[in-house]
Amino acid sequence: MKKIVAWKSLPEDVLGFLQQHVQVVQVDPSQHDAFVAALRDADGGIGASVTITPAMLEGASRLKALSTISVGYDQFDVDDLTRRGIVLAHTPDVLTESTADTVFSLILASARRVVELADWVKAGQWRASIGPAQFGLDVQGKTIGIVGLGRIGGAVARRAALGFNMKVLYTNRSANPKAEQAYGARRVELADLLAQSDFVCLQVPLTQATRHLIGAAELRAMKKSAILINASRGATVDEAALIEALRNGTIHAAGLDVFDTEPLPADSPLLSMPNVVALPHIGSATHETRHAMALNAAENLVAALDGTLTMNIVNREVLAQ
Ligand code: 8YV
């Protein structure tokens, strides 16, 4: 029976599914040496939120498949995995809608100051009818600029156009005719998106090309009344530049679910800014979706190990080897 390493806890039924097909060795990834030794003695692995470096795979000659419980795969050196003949699978579809919901919760919470004002009420500050000091910004009818119109970006566009009557601008490596037809989305250059959008939403994967995609210059190109929404990866934004921009009013506010360092350090200036909504990377984090992701990743791994995986593959070229 093949052996796999699980470096993230799995729902009981998903673990049971895996154990019907493979021997499962559960490890604590914080015990680095034991984790690396287990990878060296395994045919496959399943987990998330832990960087797997080429050095950790030295000597893992049996390893044929890794299955991440995530849509993002920036924790892996994909070219190195391909060189080693290791299939990398991910869970792109099952989390799309829940993550798009998180994006819209950030849009509404940052525009209408939900977190700030809920805390204000809890602090006993609500002593009379509210006035302009508590007013927020409208979302409905405004312009949303989606940087990266893939699965999640498309689901955000649907919510924006059909749910909130928003004008949708987007950038993407390729055109998205479905979104253009269904939601009136308009493909523009990043400079135009930044200049025209009331909400700039980052929905790109983290790659060399998207690292610090939004820096000081891009923030200055945004409207002063604009809100930056990031539920992609923290490193797509120059966080120091964002802090500066929020401090000096270059942009109005930010709704953030991801950060350069996670967990966000307690002394981060972002945590003391009333115009920042900070969430702990809850993108896909619902009971239903995280269970679906774990099951999807387990099914991907079993199929990869028996050579029948045909979808959810990050590095398809490895199949041609
Ligand atoms: C998960 C994510 O939070 O899918 C991703 O890329 O960032 C999230 O859905 C995380 O990776 C743990 O599964």
Side-chain angles (χ1 to χ4, degrees):
M1 187 178 248
K2 291 185 176 168
K3 186 189 293 186
I4 69 110
V5 177
W7 66 89
K8 185 177 176 82
S9 62
L10 298 166
E12 223 171 277
D13 60 327
V14 175
L15 181 57
F17 163 77
L18 278 172
Q19 287 169 331
Q20 290 169 3
H21 298 85
V22 292
Q23 179 191 347
V24 181
V25 175
Q26 295 181 279
V27 297
D28 172 355
S30 65
Q31 303 303 310
H32 183 79
D33 293 348
F35 183 19
V36 170
L39 287 170
R40 283 204 183 117
D41 185 34
D43 304 286
I46 185 171
S49 312
V50 172
T51 298
I52 308 284
T53 65
M56 291 168 68
L57 301 179
E58 285 309 320
S61 54
R62 280 174 52 187
L63 207 56
K64 288 290 170 272
L66 291 173
S67 185
T68 183
I69 309 172
S70 64
V71 63
Y73 42 86
D74 47 284
Q75 299 103 327
F76 299 89
D77 181 327
V78 178
D79 292 341
D80 179 66
L81 294 181
T82 302
R83 277 193 298 275
R84 295 175 189 273
I86 298 172
V87 175
L88 177 61
H90 67 149
T91 61
D93 293 312
V94 289
L95 53 73
T96 297
E97 296 303 329
S98 298
T99 306
D101 285 350
T102 298
V103 171
F104 243 84
S105 68
L106 283 170
I107 290 172
L108 291 166
S110 51
R112 299 301 300 274
R113 304 167 56 189
V114 169
V115 175
E116 176 197 354
L117 294 174
D119 289 347
W120 180 75
V121 171
K122 282 185 180 174
Q125 297 299 312
W126 185 20
R127 302 191 190 95
S129 294
I130 58 128
Q134 289 76 41
F135 291 177
L137 297 175
D138 269 334
V139 175
Q140 43 85 20
K142 293 290 186 68
T143 298
I144 185 171
I146 302 173
V147 181
L149 202 67
R151 295 178 182 90
I152 299 170
V156 172
R158 183 172 81 244
R159 285 159 175 75
L162 306 187
F164 290 82
N165 193 32
M166 296 176 84
K167 288 180 268 321
V168 178
L169 305 177
Y170 75 97
T171 65
N172 207 57
R173 284 179 304 185
S174 52
N176 187 323
K178 173 179 181 287
E180 292 178 2
Q181 195 274 322
Y183 317 135
R186 196 157 55 84
R187 190 180 183 202
V188 297
E189 294 300 323
L190 180 61
D192 296 328
L193 183 147
L194 295 171
Q196 297 173 36
S197 299
D198 299 299
F199 298 88
V200 174
C201 286
L202 304 182
Q203 298 302 156
V204 287
L206 178 59
T207 64
Q208 283 312 318
T210 64
R211 186 173 292 276
H212 285 195
L213 180 67
I214 301 298
E218 289 72 25
L219 291 162
R220 282 196 299 274
M222 289 170 61
K223 296 178 181 178
K224 284 189 176 305
S225 60
I227 297 176
L228 180 73
I229 303 293
N230 191 12
S232 62
R233 285 289 186 267
T236 57
V237 176
D238 176 341
E239 198 163 286
L242 175 60
I243 289 167
E244 195 48 40
L246 288 162
R247 271 198 181 121
N248 61 32
T250 300
I251 63 170
H252 177 66
L256 309 170
D257 187 42
V258 289
F259 303 88
D260 245 353
T261 304
E262 295 182 7
L264 184 62
D267 64 354
S268 168
L270 291 170
L271 293 178
S272 58
M273 294 182 177
N275 56 342
V276 171
V277 174
L279 294 177
H281 199 150
I282 62 165
S284 61
T286 65
H287 292 289
E288 302 90 338
T289 294
R290 281 300 176 84
H291 182 274
M293 289 165 66
L295 182 56
N296 188 213
E299 292 166 342
N300 288 340
L301 182 56
V302 168
L305 289 175
D306 61 25
T308 58
L309 186 64
T310 58
M311 57 194 298
N312 301 335
I313 301 171
V314 172
N315 56 346
R316 277 194 176 284
E317 58 275 27
V318 75
L319 301 179
Q321 288 178 354

